[in-house]
Amino acid sequence: MNKILISVVGPTAIGKTKLAILLAEYYNTEIISADSRQFFKEMNIGTAVPSNHELNLANHHFIQHKSITESYSVGDFESEAIDKISTLFKTKDVVIMAGGSGLYVNAITDGLNSFPTIDTGIREGLNAELTKHGIKFLQDKLERIDPVYFNKVDIHNPQRVIRALEVSIGSGKPYSSFIDQPKAERSFKILTVGLKADRAFIYDRINKRVDVMMKAGLLEEAKNVLPFRNYNALQTVGYKELFNYFDEEWTLEFAISEIKKNTRRFAKRQLTWFLRNKHTIWFDYEYEQNHILNEINSEILKLKNG
């Protein structure tokens, strides 16, 4: 239990990649990406994948290792990432994990909750309802069946809404009743560090990042994946708004403004999620390198002595 996983969390555009690389270089170790949007090789600009320069500074795992046409669940990630972390710990005392996908981060730090096996026909029926009636229809159904989870989940994410409904319907129990079960036992200790900034600053960074993405070719990237728009990987901010532009439902200017707005909303949900962990050590995004390294070393010492 002297092995330490440092989990770097925080909202999008705050600088998690930069800090993860700093820590990886300092501890001579490697990085596990826990950003579910960066798993897919066809999505590069819109997911802010680390640059080639950044990838060369430290060895990263789970970056663009799947295709959008492949099925890849949080359970798959948990299994593969734990295996990779275990392998790295054979030669490393510290491993870094960085990402803004709270569910995927928790899959490694806490383990997934155990859910019953559900008849696939239920999901197929719910997908058909989504196509026929739209997301509002499923949102209303979830609010009736499981109001507790309805008030926690990102109700604009069809994957999450459908998953909650299929478990609730298939098991006869609310999805929320399967959450917050005892944590999984891990063979390593976990130190979670977060980056924070004023919300206005974060929102400004997001707006500027979207402008940079558009100049870098996000429109063309979205056009290239348009034939695959119904795959789960593409039900995400930055792509679905541009799909509406291609459908001539929105102007390009409005689509870009919606990307910015929805990314800001995503960042707000990230902050809410990560602030629930009372053990996170928070640092300002304008941290001084020696200060943050000294603080982290002090926290690691406490974990090892604890």
Side-chain angles (χ1 to χ4, degrees):
M1 291 292 286
N2 281 329
K3 304 295 185 177
I4 305 292
L5 176 71
I6 301 177
S7 175
V8 180
V9 302
T12 189
I14 195 71
K16 295 185 295 296
T17 296
K18 179 182 176 182
L19 176 56
I21 291 172
L22 169 67
L23 296 175
E25 290 181 319
Y26 180 80
Y27 292 107
N28 187 29
T29 190
E30 303 182 16
I31 300 171
I32 302 293
S33 173
D35 189 326
S36 63
R37 287 161 40 90
Q38 295 180 355
F39 293 159
F40 304 102
K41 60 187 72 173
E42 298 89 348
M43 300 162 66
N44 186 56
I45 300 170
T47 60
V49 168
S51 67
N52 288 333
H53 173 69
E54 290 171 324
L55 293 173
N56 288 331
L57 290 174
N59 198 13
H60 289 68
H61 302 276
F62 302 98
I63 295 280
Q64 295 189 312
H65 67 304
K66 293 291 180 181
S67 169
I68 54 176
T69 61
E70 295 179 74
S71 175
Y72 194 66
S73 69
V74 64
D76 295 328
F77 172 72
E78 179 191 23
S79 176
E80 293 180 12
I82 289 296
D83 283 347
K84 176 56 68 174
I85 290 168
S86 298
T87 298
L88 292 173
F89 275 142
K90 291 179 181 178
T91 56
K92 311 289 184 183
D93 290 329
V94 175
V95 172
I96 313 302
M97 180 172 70
S101 300
L103 183 62
Y104 287 75
V105 171
N106 281 22
I108 304 306
T109 59
D110 299 341
L112 290 175
N113 295 299
S114 178
F115 293 97
T117 301
I118 305 297
D119 184 347
T120 56
I122 295 176
R123 171 172 282 265
E124 292 170 1
L126 291 167
N127 278 315
E129 289 182 350
L130 175 64
T131 301
K132 184 177 180 180
H133 302 294
I135 186 65
K136 180 65 165 57
F137 180 83
L138 296 183
Q139 290 169 348
D140 291 342
K141 180 178 286 192
L142 179 61
E143 187 174 21
R144 291 193 303 272
I145 293 176
D146 190 352
V148 173
Y149 191 67
F150 175 84
N151 289 317
K152 292 182 178 180
V153 71
D154 172 11
I155 60 170
H156 301 291
N157 185 324
Q159 293 173 258
R160 300 279 171 81
V161 173
I162 288 174
R163 176 57 177 161
L165 283 171
E166 71 170 335
V167 171
S168 298
I169 294 169
S171 68
K173 298 179 181 179
Y175 182 85
S176 56
S177 67
F178 295 97
I179 298 176
D180 297 329
Q181 297 174 2
K183 292 185 178 182
E185 291 293 328
R186 297 299 188 211
S187 60
F188 49 86
K189 293 184 178 180
I190 299 160
L191 173 63
T192 302
V193 298
L195 291 177
K196 62 181 180 178
D198 291 339
R199 190 160 294 183
F201 172 83
I202 296 171
Y203 288 175
D204 183 61
R205 291 257 294 207
I206 287 169
N207 292 339
K208 289 177 179 176
R209 175 185 271 189
V210 173
D211 289 335
V212 169
M213 287 177 173
M214 292 304 300
K215 290 178 182 178
L218 178 57
L219 185 65
E220 186 65 24
E221 181 171 275
K223 187 175 182 179
N224 290 337
V225 297
L226 183 60
F228 309 99
R229 64 187 298 173
N230 292 324
Y231 283 92
N232 286 339
L234 288 168
Q235 309 307 308
T236 189
V237 178
Y239 296 90
K240 57 185 181 181
E241 295 87 355
L242 292 176
F243 295 158
N244 285 339
Y245 163 68
F246 295 135
D247 291 339
E248 299 183 349
E249 295 178 2
W250 293 351
T251 65
L252 181 57
E253 182 181 11
F254 183 72
I256 293 171
S257 71
E258 286 295 289
I259 293 173
K260 292 178 180 178
K261 182 185 74 176
N262 291 331
T263 306
R264 293 194 300 268
R265 287 178 172 174
F266 175 58
K268 184 179 179 180
R269 293 194 299 271
Q270 286 177 305
L271 281 167
T272 300
W273 179 288
F274 291 126
L275 286 170
R276 294 187 306 181
N277 182 353
K278 303 304 180 184
H279 301 293
T280 300
I281 311 299
W282 290 96
F283 296 97
D284 188 83
Y285 79 100
E286 288 187 312
Y287 58 84
E288 197 276 322
Q289 287 192 11
N290 288 335
H291 169 72
I292 200 171
L293 291 172
N294 288 337
E295 289 292 318
I296 290 174
N297 279 331
S298 176
E299 293 298 327
I300 287 176
L301 191 60
K302 291 178 187 177
L303 280 177
K304 289 184 175 181
N305 293 333

